[in-house]
């Protein structure tokens, strides 16, 4: 994988028109941030790495990203499209690309994980500087078939699900194409999210600041927040935030 092979299959007009490729870097989100802070990025600039040494996950966790996976960060201008719905787009786009182009039964777990069954195939970390830029970082497990013991039960990959080796460039192109179509058209992303999730109607367990709770998912609000019924039968609206972790067992 390199800048040229990544560009070859692209059919987009905005996303991935600029690509910065690293054989190895600390974190593509960190690199994107440094480039943005120096005023060097445009809308859609993609930072892609074969391997990250300090991959960042949500909630301050680290993200393991060896060479069989795709690590990328996309830069967006901080304009009117940056609403509370914005973080839903990348997960829906990837789930749609994996379903339509690779026949993988991917589905989205709010706020922005992509699962197959109960295992995670991709994670997303959105970070931004208000009024300046947004960075959407995506880690997709592509050809990894052996995971460390602690991840074995909770992680899967494109190769595991398809049974064949897949070029990361193909996933990159298919994902960017779906993402661009969803983001720059008048998509009802709430409806697209509902079409690509298995959460609604399910009873879930979650950790909220260390406490285990149970709830039933009832839907998603106009703002993209999760609507649930708590164990007392009361309606609640959950915003994505540090300290909230919903189990994939639903
Ligand atoms: C999660 O914890 O689920 C989010 C993981 C996000 C990982 C991606 S890999 C590309 C980008 N660079 C990073 O350091 N993190 C994100």
């Amino acid at each position: 994988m390199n800048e040229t092979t990544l560009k070859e299959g692209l059919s987009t007009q905005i996303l991935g028109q600029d690509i910065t490729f690293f054989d190895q870097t600390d974190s593509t989100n960190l690199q994107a941030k440094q480039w943005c802070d120096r005023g060097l990025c445009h809308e859609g600039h993609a930072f892609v790495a074969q391997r990250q040494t300090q991959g960042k996950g949500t909630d301050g966790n680290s993200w393991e990203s060896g060479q069989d996976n795709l690590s990328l960060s996309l830069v967006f201008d901080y304009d009117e499209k940056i609403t509370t719905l914005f973080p839903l787009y990348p997960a829906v786009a990837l789930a749609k690309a994996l379903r339509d182009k690779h026949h993988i039964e991917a589905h989205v777990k709010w706020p922005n994980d992509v699962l197959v069954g109960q295992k995670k195939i991709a994670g997303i970390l959105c970070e931004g500087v208000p009024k300046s830029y947004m960075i959407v970082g995506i880690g997709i497990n592509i050809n990894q078939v052996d995971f460390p013991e602690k991840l074995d039960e909770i992680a899967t990959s494109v190769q595991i699900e398809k049974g064949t080796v897949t070029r990361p460039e193909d996933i990159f192109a298919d994902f960017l194409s779906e993402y661009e179509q969803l983001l720059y058209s008048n998509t009802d992303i709430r409806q697209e999210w509902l079409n690509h999730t298995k959460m609604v109607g399910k009873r879930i367990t979650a950790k909220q600041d260390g406490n285990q709770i149970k709830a039933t998912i009832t839907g998603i609000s106009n703002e993209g927040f999760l609507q649930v019924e708590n164990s007392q039968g009361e309606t609640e609206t959950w915003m994505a935030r540090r300290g909230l972790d919903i189990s994939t067992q639903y």
Side-chain angles (χ1 to χ4, degrees):
M1 177 165 60
N2 58 45
E3 218 164 288
T4 311
T5 61
L6 283 164
K7 275 198 175 136
E8 270 163 13
L10 271 187
S11 57
T12 48
Q13 306 294 313
I14 304 168
L15 302 186
Q17 294 310 293
D18 295 307
I19 296 178
T20 303
F21 177 78
F22 306 92
D23 285 322
Q24 177 170 307
T25 190
D26 45 6
S27 147
T28 52
N29 267 32
L30 278 176
Q31 288 299 320
K33 184 172 170 14
Q34 284 168 17
W35 282 55
C36 287
D37 287 340
R38 284 155 53 203
L40 298 175
C41 292
H42 298 290
E43 174 95 358
H45 193 134
F47 292 78
V48 184
Q50 180 92 55
R51 180 191 282 272
Q52 293 182 122
T53 54
Q54 288 174 54
K56 297 192 328 165
T58 52
D59 237 355
N61 294 317
S62 59
W63 177 261
E64 314 257 342
S65 17
Q67 61 179 17
D68 293 322
N69 300 325
L70 180 64
S71 302
L72 80 127
S73 299
L74 289 163
V75 171
F76 296 94
D77 295 336
Y78 206 105
D79 54 22
E80 63 286 343
K81 70 180 171 305
I82 311 294
T83 69
T84 51
L85 291 170
F86 180 75
L88 300 180
Y89 285 86
V92 172
L94 182 62
K96 208 162 185 294
L98 292 176
R99 290 181 85 95
D100 297 353
K101 308 263 173 55
H102 298 272
H103 312 293
I104 294 176
E105 290 237 355
H107 56 100
V108 294
K109 171 180 168 266
W110 185 88
N112 46 23
D113 285 337
V114 183
L115 307 182
V116 181
Q118 295 177 331
K119 293 183 173 181
K120 191 154 153 170
I121 197 164
I124 294 166
L125 177 65
C126 300
E127 302 183 287
V129 173
K131 304 210 173 90
S132 187
Y133 57 81
M134 273 302 290
I135 292 163
V136 176
I138 305 112
I140 311 169
N141 299 333
I142 301 203
N143 288 316
Q144 186 165 1
V145 284
D146 292 316
F147 288 93
E149 211 181 316
K150 65 176 175 129
L151 295 180
D152 203 37
E153 293 286 295
I154 56 172
T156 189
S157 68
V158 173
Q159 185 175 156
I160 292 172
E161 298 304 326
K162 275 175 78 170
T164 52
V165 174
T166 298
R167 292 173 74 239
E169 290 92 334
D170 293 344
I171 302 286
F172 178 76
D174 295 338
F175 167 57
L176 261 55
S177 162
E178 284 295 349
Y179 197 177
E180 183 165 300
Q181 281 174 46
L182 290 173
L183 189 62
Y184 300 101
S185 60
N186 288 324
T187 312
D188 181 353
I189 191 63
R190 258 187 81 254
Q191 190 52 54
E192 287 289 341
W193 187 89
L194 287 167
N195 294 345
H196 290 88
T197 195
K198 295 185 174 173
M199 291 185 101
V200 178
K202 297 283 168 56
R203 187 149 174 80
I204 54 104
T205 53
K207 271 203 195 128
Q208 250 181 0
D209 303 320
N211 301 317
Q212 219 187 43
I213 54 167
K214 286 187 192 301
T216 302
I217 310 294
T218 54
I220 190 159
S221 73
N222 289 338
E223 297 80 20
F225 303 146
L226 199 65
Q227 295 168 319
V228 308
E229 189 180 284
N230 69 19
S231 36
Q232 282 81 49
E234 297 155 349
T235 300
E236 288 182 3
T237 302
W238 290 358
M239 280 183 252
R241 62 170 180 84
R242 245 183 138 85
L244 173 63
D245 182 19
I246 299 175
S247 162
T248 59
Q249 313 290 305
Y250 57 80

